[in-house]
Amino acid sequence: MSHNRRISVIGLGYVGLPVAVAFGRKGTPVVAFDINEGRIKELIAGHDRTGEIDDATLKAANLVFSCEPKDLRDADFHIVAVPTPIDGTNRPNLRPVLSAAKTVGGQLKKGDIVVFESTVYPGVTEEECVPVLEAESGLKCGPDFTVGYSPERINPGDKVHRFETITKVVSGQDAETLEVVAQVYGSVVEAGVHRAPSIKAAEAAKVIENTQRDLNIALMNELALIFDRLGIDTHDVLEAAGTKWNFLPFSPGLVGGHCIGVDPYYLTFRAEAVGYNPQVILAGRRINDGMGAWIAGETVKRLLKSGNGGRRGVTILGVTFKEDVPDCRNTKVTDIAEELESYGLQVQVTDPMADPAEVKEEYGLTLTPLADLTPADAVILAVPHREYREGGWGLVTGLLHDRQGFVVDVRCALDRGGRPEGVKLWRI
């Protein structure tokens, strides 16, 4: 599929940059816009701190980096890929996407198309964003410009399922816009496009994708809570059950990040606004949000049973929301650290990929380099980065006092059969 549209991408994070690069590799200049001047300077210098795009690929893409809104006038097909977080009460925070709409609206021209990729609840594009675009541009949606929605499906750290290799859901406010949106994305997405019948259907599809995943993980976490009380290893159970052809391969763990731990709240917010009180979705959220505190509590119990009460403290390996990515947004590892500290334990946290300044600013946690850690009574392998997986038991036990103590393996990354003598292991 081909098109004659000039592309701009607004927001150059984990989603926006891969999108911009995909279009930029086709040769046509892409306006790559972000309000963060530091981010723009970094990308102009040829480096992506998120690790999603390597330096050679970034350099090869035909991108015009800018933090000047006026440069958006060089494009007529605008893709908005900014974060849509939640606030402290788990309510949608639409400020970033509405701010982006305001920026784009100020540069809109007749004939332009604006496509939103940010995760939202059904209705946001047409009911919240369009009025902002109209107010800032002085144009009318429909006769002057049109909008579409194409939910992002970027999986940070995944080098197999990439923007180009994942089927792209597209939608538009009318048939003509839908066809243009399909042609534009189809020119770079090798896996093809799926035309949703409406913008609201596409918006809803996005939030239920991660809601489904959140609920499946919540079930595994609840099973872990049950089996722990029964003295059964959860992964032994899952391995046995997984031999059935239609058993779904989910596992227990911490659910953080900017998608799975956030998107369900967008759907429940919209449901409550129309008078429906979601029960299953919110129950799953409560279970997943409570796992960090539970892991910490169980760690304390086991330390007390060992007789030393954790006098030398606890070391936590990893603070990002998933392995092998530097993204710390909505990480639940901090819940473990905070709960342990509430018991009066000394806690050390280390992570080879996280930005120490970002962690300090966002969570008030000071990261300690691996080489500077003091021996602890317990080590919690919370995020199994490659460095920890390759280091294995040798790395972990080297952080324990006299190479003996208690190890918590949150994601079952360690070989249980290789556990050294004198080391107690607990995994969820």
Side-chain angles (χ1 to χ4, degrees):
M1 302 175 75
S2 62
H3 65 90
N4 58 359
R5 288 282 174 165
R6 294 165 296 160
I7 311 295
S8 79
V9 178
I10 295 87
L12 302 177
Y14 285 87
V15 173
L17 185 62
V19 172
V21 167
F23 283 107
R25 293 176 69 181
K26 291 295 182 178
T28 305
V30 173
V31 179
F33 176 88
D34 199 288
I35 60 173
N36 186 329
E37 186 176 349
R39 175 68 165 160
I40 292 297
K41 288 180 179 179
E42 166 195 293
L43 294 173
I44 289 175
H47 179 67
D48 169 32
R49 79 175 77 128
T50 71
E52 293 302 299
I53 304 297
D54 62 71
D55 293 356
T57 301
L58 183 61
K59 183 178 180 180
N62 192 354
L63 303 178
V64 179
F65 293 109
S66 176
C67 54
E68 295 291 338
K70 62 181 177 59
D71 290 334
L72 296 174
R73 294 190 69 82
D74 293 334
D76 56 25
F77 190 98
H78 309 280
I79 299 172
V80 177
V82 298
T84 43
I86 52 177
D87 63 20
T89 61
N90 295 327
R91 295 171 66 85
N93 177 4
L94 295 178
R95 284 194 298 272
V97 73
L98 295 180
S99 177
K102 184 176 182 179
T103 298
V104 175
Q107 309 302 323
L108 271 186
K109 310 175 300 299
K110 287 190 176 183
D112 283 7
I113 295 176
V114 183
V115 178
F116 292 87
E117 290 208 4
S118 306
T119 301
V120 293
Y121 53 77
V124 167
T125 299
E126 294 161 295
E127 298 166 14
E128 303 288 345
C129 295
V130 165
V132 175
L133 293 171
E134 290 181 328
E136 294 299 317
S137 67
L139 302 175
K140 189 69 176 175
C141 186
D144 297 327
F145 71 91
T146 56
V147 298
Y149 182 80
S150 181
E152 62 90 0
R153 283 175 167 171
I154 300 294
N155 183 28
D158 191 336
K159 303 304 180 184
V160 176
H161 301 97
R162 300 174 292 106
F163 174 73
E164 298 92 336
T165 63
I166 304 170
T167 301
K168 196 77 168 101
V169 175
V170 296
S171 64
Q173 71 181 72
D174 53 45
E176 182 179 353
T177 301
L178 173 60
E179 192 56 35
V180 174
V181 174
Q183 288 178 357
V184 170
Y185 280 108
S187 69
V188 294
V189 178
E190 302 158 7
V193 299
H194 171 85
R195 293 168 173 81
S198 69
I199 288 177
K200 287 184 179 179
E203 291 170 326
K206 172 57 183 175
V207 289
I208 72 164
E209 287 175 11
N210 283 328
T211 297
Q212 181 189 69
R213 186 164 173 76
D214 189 46
L215 284 171
N216 276 295
I217 298 173
L219 173 60
M220 298 301 107
N221 279 334
E222 186 161 59
L223 292 177
L225 297 173
I226 295 171
F227 294 144
D228 182 70
R229 286 162 172 75
L230 296 176
I232 305 171
D233 186 277
T234 303
H235 284 265
D236 286 346
V237 178
L238 295 178
E239 184 178 359
T243 60
K244 189 168 186 279
W245 71 91
N246 60 353
F247 188 83
L248 300 178
F250 287 91
S251 59
L254 300 172
V255 183
H258 189 63
C259 293
I260 299 177
V262 172
D263 294 357
Y265 288 121
Y266 273 75
L267 182 57
T268 58
F269 171 83
R270 191 69 181 96
E272 290 169 346
V274 293
Y276 180 77
N277 182 30
Q279 299 181 54
V280 175
I281 298 173
L282 290 176
R285 283 278 72 238
R286 285 192 294 272
I287 291 172
N288 287 343
D289 278 348
M291 290 302 290
W294 178 68
I295 291 170
E298 291 301 312
T299 300
V300 171
K301 289 179 184 178
R302 285 162 171 78
L303 283 172
L304 290 173
K305 288 180 180 178
S306 70
N308 61 39
R311 292 186 301 273
R312 299 181 183 89
V314 179
T315 294
I316 300 177
L317 300 180
V319 75
T320 61
F321 90 89
K322 67 182 291 188
E323 61 269 24
D324 301 326
V325 299
D327 193 354
C328 293
R329 289 176 299 175
N330 196 36
T331 176
K332 296 304 176 184
V333 177
T334 55
D335 293 351
I336 299 177
E338 291 173 4
E339 188 73 8
L340 289 173
E341 289 176 343
S342 74
Y343 283 96
L345 295 177
Q346 295 295 316
V347 179
Q348 304 174 105
V349 183
T350 188
D351 193 299
M353 303 201 68
D355 181 347
E358 179 185 337
V359 174
K360 182 68 174 178
E361 180 180 357
E362 184 68 23
Y363 302 106
L365 278 177
T366 299
L367 295 185
T368 303
L370 187 67
D372 295 338
L373 294 171
T374 58
D377 288 321
V379 171
I380 300 177
L381 179 51
V383 186
H385 292 305
R386 180 178 291 107
E387 179 179 337
Y388 302 150
R389 299 195 304 270
E390 292 177 350
W393 279 110
L395 183 151
V396 173
T397 56
L399 301 175
L400 292 169
H401 182 71
D402 290 337
R403 291 187 173 271
Q404 293 190 351
F406 175 50
V407 174
V408 178
D409 187 4
V410 174
R411 293 287 304 280
C412 295
L414 296 169
D415 175 17
R416 184 173 48 173
R419 177 173 60 88
E421 185 177 352
V423 175
K424 297 181 176 61
L425 171 67
W426 177 64
R427 57 186 200 168
I428 68 171

